[in-house]
Amino acid sequence: MIRGTILTGLLLLFFQAGLAQKGGESTYSFLGLSNAARVAALGGELVSLMDDDINMVFHNPALLTPGMHNNLNLNYVNYFAGVNYGYASYGYAAEGIGNFAAGMHYVNYGTFDRTDELGQSQGTFRASEYAMNLVYSRSILDTLLTAGVNLKPIFSSLEQYTSLGIALDIGVTYYQPRTLTTVGLVVKNIGTQITSYTGKRESLPFEIQAGVTQGLAHAPFRFTVTFQHLERWDLTYTVPDEEEALFSGNEPEKSGFDMFGDKLMRHLVFGTEFLLGENLHLDVGYNYKRRQEMKVNARPGMVGFSWGFGFRVSKFHIAFGRASYHLAGGTNHFSLTTNLSEFYR
């Protein structure tokens, strides 16, 4: 009876969260930022890469494995317009109990000038947001299937307005070492605002993602396809008439099969890794949705594409990722990971 009640409550929560999602109407949107350089290089979304890389845990808690015991990682992202953000986490494996990780995700929007309605300076103010990540995972079915949860207390401070929230990610992965196949599924940001900015609660950026990663037994390649926003089919956006002048070279309106293909592709993110031994990997990715939303049709350039690399030096794994968002520029991601156990063997 209790188990049935819990399941019913979760289903209702999923249903309500899914209905509430519309573009630009959810709060705490920073929860969807890509922290790790490797993930950014592979398209920005990744939930199925089983590689004992603790950076993956942020995107799917079920990717937390015993191989991440005593691992520490630091991430920094140089974003746009003076904004920067990062993530730090630590992993611990307890034999017979499960795997644990704790992390802190932050975004710093910088310092702003405060003025009155006449433009008179009244000093400055800052804006920032934070989310803790408390992760637990455990393997079942002879380690082929892993389930994980990520509890995220959230604090947001925007000038004089503050908000507290709580979110939960639930993920599962299936890894078959014989075929080098990993399948991942994660439900992200189930939760609510505890206190809102102005007394009106807003929905969280609820999302369902799935992914498949396939390695090759006799070639140094690994391919990944991630399905984003499975909770909603139509991810297209129609530019309002009053804003159309801001966009040059608008494409003709799609219909029939072209429209179906466009809507399908907006759910897909592609990534490929070239593995040069255990100490070097090269990454490329393509995010169709990002390209369609951010490109200037007259000069699309490399918008939506991403690339990066990672290498090991002594006890450290260093990675860099570059994602192209617009002709105006892209983002640079830096990651540093180490196993603290190697320092006191």
Side-chain angles (χ1 to χ4, degrees):
M1 179 67 179
I2 295 177
R3 184 177 301 176
T5 302
I6 294 174
L7 179 59
T8 301
L10 286 175
L11 290 174
L12 287 173
L13 186 57
F14 291 170
F15 181 70
Q16 292 170 354
L19 287 180
Q21 297 313 300
K22 294 181 181 179
E25 293 188 2
S26 62
T27 189
Y28 307 143
S29 58
F30 78 103
L31 296 174
L33 294 172
S34 299
N35 283 288
R38 194 176 190 182
V39 175
L42 291 170
E45 305 291 348
L46 188 60
V47 299
S48 59
L49 184 58
M50 185 71 72
D51 195 24
D52 286 342
D53 184 350
I54 196 170
N55 286 299
M56 302 299 111
V57 177
F58 178 84
H59 296 271
N60 185 351
L63 293 173
L64 180 61
T65 66
M68 301 174 192
H69 174 69
N70 223 13
N71 279 14
L72 175 69
N73 81 308
L74 303 172
N75 294 279
Y76 173 77
V77 182
N78 178 20
Y79 210 51
F80 299 99
V83 177
N84 60 79
Y85 66 91
Y87 180 71
S89 65
Y90 170 78
Y92 182 86
E95 187 174 355
I97 300 176
N99 313 302
F100 300 86
M104 175 60 73
H105 179 202
Y106 80 92
V107 56
N108 175 21
Y109 297 108
T111 302
F112 301 84
D113 294 326
R114 180 189 284 113
T115 60
D116 60 18
E117 61 273 15
L118 299 178
Q120 300 296 319
S121 176
Q122 294 183 335
T124 61
F125 67 91
R126 300 182 62 84
S128 57
E129 297 182 287
Y130 304 87
M132 288 192 64
N133 285 244
L134 305 173
V135 187
Y136 172 77
S137 74
R138 185 177 178 88
S139 298
I140 52 181
L141 296 181
D142 297 328
T143 74
L144 295 180
L145 187 66
T146 303
V149 295
N150 181 8
L151 181 65
K152 299 185 288 190
I154 304 163
F155 174 71
S156 176
S157 175
L158 308 175
E159 206 255 343
Q160 62 179 325
Y161 305 97
T162 61
S163 174
L164 295 173
I166 190 76
L168 183 71
D169 297 347
I170 301 176
V172 293
T173 58
Y174 176 81
Y175 174 60
Q176 178 51 262
R178 182 175 56 84
T179 60
L180 302 178
T181 304
T182 306
V183 179
L185 173 67
V186 61
V187 181
K188 294 185 173 182
N189 302 320
I190 308 165
T192 185
Q193 278 186 306
I194 299 173
T195 62
S196 63
Y197 300 102
T198 59
K200 180 181 179 181
R201 292 188 178 181
E202 303 170 85
S203 60
L204 271 61
F206 176 84
E207 184 177 357
I208 302 175
Q209 295 182 339
V212 179
T213 297
Q214 180 63 59
L216 301 180
H218 304 292
F221 291 99
R222 184 159 50 195
F223 303 97
T224 295
V225 179
T226 303
F227 304 84
Q228 59 181 341
H229 290 289
L230 295 180
E231 78 285 354
R232 185 171 71 246
W233 164 245
D234 190 356
L235 300 177
T236 58
Y237 171 74
T238 301
V239 179
D241 294 338
E242 63 271 17
E243 298 179 13
E244 191 169 352
L246 299 175
F247 297 84
S248 60
N250 285 327
E251 296 179 345
E253 185 176 344
K254 297 181 176 68
S255 61
F257 183 78
D258 289 339
M259 180 179 294
F260 173 82
D262 178 64
K263 291 181 179 180
L264 175 63
M265 286 295 295
R266 288 174 189 260
H267 291 274
L268 303 180
V269 179
F270 302 92
T272 300
E273 279 198 304
F274 182 34
L275 306 171
L276 299 174
E278 297 182 356
N279 297 320
L280 177 64
H281 59 86
L282 307 177
D283 313 310
V284 293
Y286 177 63
N287 190 318
Y288 178 87
K289 177 176 177 289
R290 181 186 298 162
R291 182 172 178 84
Q292 297 306 309
E293 292 179 344
M294 302 298 293
K295 71 179 181 180
V296 175
N297 292 321
R299 295 181 58 193
M302 295 299 292
V303 175
F305 289 89
S306 53
W307 61 273
F309 58 86
F311 58 91
R312 297 184 185 276
V313 176
S314 183
K315 301 177 179 64
F316 299 95
H317 180 206
I318 302 170
F320 171 80
R322 171 80 176 178
S324 296
Y325 280 81
H326 194 268
L327 284 177
T331 57
N332 298 311
H333 301 246
F334 303 90
S335 297
L336 177 66
T337 306
T338 188
N339 188 332
L340 299 180
S341 299
E342 296 185 8
F343 289 91
Y344 53 81
R345 282 181 176 176

